[in-house]
Amino acid sequence: MRILLVEDDARVAGAMAAALSRRGYDVERAGTAAAALAAAPCDLVLLDLTLPDGDGVEVCRALRQRSAQLGIIAVTARGEERDRVIGLRMGADDYVVKPFSMAELEARIVAVLRRARAGAPRPEVIEVGPIWIDVAARLVTVGGAGVALTRKEFDILVSLARQPGVVVPHERIVLDVWPTTGAARHTVEVHVGSLRGKLGDPDLVQTVRGVGYRLRAE
């Protein structure tokens, strides 16, 4: 398997390349965004998000646009949740924060390559206006800022976000969110009210009286 290692710190890059080579990987190094984008095709990219001539996040976006099957792991010192979300949002398959062990990195490499070889679908990500949702990871951001939702609030948001601009009836929401127990209309109203408050813009979730709710489509 061929790996492109994008890292501007020569000492770090040398140590990582040597360790990966000992594990049987064919490693090419790139120290800049320009070199990363000009590199020959590979199976997986280990991408530092902090590069001297550009933002690694934009490099990630460009690489993902070229290939949906390319494995991309962000390898960076940016450990804040917002940075992880942005990296994943721009197309990274996984994220590892420095310092890390080679055992951890190799485990992530193997997992990403396995998914790529199997042609596994990328995780479902939904974007509606300022709202970004990673369904599998149960992550939500609004305008790039993370939003903490309860399980039911998240499920309601996903139910609405899968049909932006369309009125989703109360009955459909109950089936999506409370499939086995059901829920009274008042219960749905309470959870929607709490969801509105957390999203920061009450008009994002619109009420259609007597019918249901609609997520505003930009």
Side-chain angles (χ1 to χ4, degrees), residues 6-9 12 16 47-51 73-81 83-84 95-100:
V6 185
E7 168 63 65
D8 66 317
D9 186 318
V12 172
M16 288 179 64
L47 176 62
D48 192 331
L49 297 186
T50 305
L51 297 171
I73 299 177
V75 183
T76 179
R78 299 180 183 179
E80 295 298 322
E81 180 185 52
D83 292 318
R84 294 198 301 273
Y95 200 110
V96 61
V97 179
K98 299 175 183 177
F100 52 84

Side-chain angles (χ1 to χ4, degrees), residues 25-207:
Y25 297 102
D26 179 13
V27 182
E28 178 181 353
R29 289 168 53 178
T32 64
L37 294 174
C42 61
D43 299 296
L44 181 137
V45 179
L46 298 175
L47 176 62
D48 192 331
L49 297 186
T50 305
L51 297 171
D53 62 334
D55 190 345
V57 170
E58 293 305 318
V59 175
C60 182
R61 186 208 299 267
L63 292 173
R64 176 57 65 212
Q65 288 175 343
R66 292 181 185 178
S67 171
Q69 298 305 317
L70 173 66
I72 303 176
I73 299 177
V75 183
T76 179
R78 299 180 183 179
E80 295 298 322
E81 180 185 52
R82 183 174 185 274
D83 292 318
R84 294 198 301 273
V85 167
I86 290 173
L88 294 170
R89 185 175 184 176
M90 292 302 104
D93 295 287
D94 204 349
Y95 200 110
V96 61
V97 179
K98 299 175 183 177
F100 52 84
S101 69
M102 284 306 301
E104 177 190 3
L105 179 60
E106 185 172 24
R108 294 178 183 275
I109 289 172
V110 170
V112 169
L113 287 174
R114 184 186 299 120
R115 291 198 298 268
R117 287 197 299 268
R122 292 182 55 75
E124 181 183 5
V125 172
I126 305 172
E127 291 191 67
V128 182
I131 300 173
W132 177 85
I133 307 167
D134 184 326
V135 177
R138 300 186 75 84
L139 289 172
V140 177
T141 66
V142 178
V147 178
L149 300 179
T150 67
R151 184 165 61 90
K152 296 301 185 186
E153 291 164 356
F154 180 88
D155 291 344
I156 290 172
L157 179 60
V158 170
S159 181
L160 298 175
R162 283 179 170 150
Q163 302 181 73
V166 175
V167 178
V168 181
H170 287 97
E171 295 78 10
R172 178 72 259 172
I173 294 173
V174 171
L175 285 173
D176 288 344
V177 182
W178 292 271
T180 58
T181 62
R185 180 165 298 206
H186 175 68
T187 300
V188 178
E189 291 172 352
V190 170
H191 282 83
V192 169
S194 178
L195 173 62
R196 280 194 180 111
K198 291 181 179 181
L199 293 179
D201 180 356
D203 193 47
L204 284 174
V205 178
Q206 302 169 340
T207 299

